[in-house]
Amino acid sequence: MGKSRAMSALITLLVLSLLMLLLMYSLSYIPLFTITSIRVYGAEAISDALSDEISSMYGSNRFSVDLGRKERVIESYSQVKSAALKWNFPDEVDVYITETDQKCLLSDGTSCYLIEDGVITRVDKAEEKFLSSRMTVIEILPEYASYMMNYGIRDEIEEVISLAGLVRDEHGQLITRIKYDNNNGDGFGQMTLYLDTLSAQLFVKERVSKNRISDSIKVIAKEAESEVTRYTRSDIIRYDLYKDALVKRTSAGELDYGK
């Protein structure tokens, strides 16, 4: 008796599953459910590549689109940290995007990389231009990029990213390029800030705070204003920043500004 009930339940389940599949198949051919409206929330702007991805749902029947799979595809874009899709009966889809909170992009001259949650990923070429226009780009050596892709990121690069983002927020109008070099893979390495409008370059030689870098840029800016008659735009002055000193390198020697 028990086996008969179990078999009956199984047959009923199979029939219901088949009917559900037939219903879903039928719904996918009803014009009423053709997606005609897509709204995106959570991002002021999105890349052309992401826009094309989202727009690909236009004209498709809602029941022929796997919204869960589409969410995962959208989340694969570097701009997106998480995504959620909601269907509004009968033909609207809302796309909720949480953007990455990263402010910096790494570039080795050939590819760009994003570090998030301790993981480095290569940015798709279709997104590079868009992200580069919105983020601070830090130039790194190809060998360093290859090392991180193969063995994982090192603590110092996260420090550099944090410092670069904070300093760029405050002095973005003066900083034209940022470069990071850590050939020996030991210690902080060296971060170089290119201050083209001040005809200067600031080499951060040791691990220092954001305030130390900011104060040094202010010193360089003040000096550039006072020495406008001494230097032309083609004369690039180098400054080295250490934990306890800002040193100006000139043809006449060194000038130590101290702490």
Side-chain angles (χ1 to χ4, degrees), residues 203-219:
F203 290 75
V204 183
K205 308 287 286 186
E206 296 178 330
R207 184 177 283 106
V208 296
S209 69
K210 171 260 180 184
N211 289 338
R212 285 280 290 130
I213 298 176
S214 180
D215 289 343
S216 297
I217 293 176
K218 291 176 183 177
V219 169

Side-chain angles (χ1 to χ4, degrees), residues 12 27 55 63 68 73 97 130 157 168 170 184 189 211 237 244:
T12 300
L27 288 174
S55 298
F63 293 99
V73 172
I97 289 175
F130 176 79
I157 191 62
R168 194 66 180 265
E170 186 174 353
N184 56 20
N211 289 338
I237 308 302
D244 57 357

Side-chain angles (χ1 to χ4, degrees), residues 33 74 98 107 116 135 177 184 209 212 233 248-249:
F33 301 117
I74 292 174
T98 299
S107 173
E116 192 162 22
M135 295 182 174
R177 287 174 60 199
N184 56 20
S209 69
R212 285 280 290 130
R233 300 268 305 203
K248 179 181 179 181
R249 310 289 185 183

Side-chain angles (χ1 to χ4, degrees), residues 9-118:
L10 179 60
I11 293 174
T12 300
L13 180 62
L14 289 174
V15 171
L16 289 175
S17 297
L18 180 59
L19 289 174
M20 182 62 70
L21 288 174
L22 289 173
L23 176 61
M24 293 296 292
Y25 180 78
S26 300
L27 288 174
S28 66
Y29 284 93
I30 298 177
L32 175 67
F33 301 117
T34 298
I35 298 172
T36 61
S37 175
I38 301 175
R39 293 171 293 197
V40 179
Y41 299 92
E44 292 184 2
I46 58 177
S47 67
D48 290 342
L50 180 54
S51 178
D52 290 343
E53 181 65 51
I54 293 173
S55 298
S56 67
M57 291 187 287
Y58 276 116
S60 299
N61 185 285
R62 180 268 174 264
F63 293 99
S64 67
V65 176
D66 186 334
L67 297 184
R69 181 178 180 280
K70 180 62 73 170
E71 284 179 359
R72 293 189 292 274
V73 172
I74 292 174
E75 288 176 341
S76 70
Y77 284 77
S78 298
Q79 181 187 356
V80 181
K81 189 169 187 177
S82 64
L85 272 62
K86 178 185 176 183
W87 172 52
N88 297 314
F89 181 89
D91 59 355
E92 297 180 345
V93 173
D94 291 339
V95 181
Y96 297 91
I97 289 175
T98 299
E99 293 188 273
T100 177
D101 53 9
Q102 298 304 302
K103 296 181 178 181
C104 297
L105 203 62
L106 304 178
S107 173
D108 65 5
T110 301
S111 299
C112 287
Y113 308 84
L114 191 67
I115 292 179
E116 192 162 22
D117 298 328

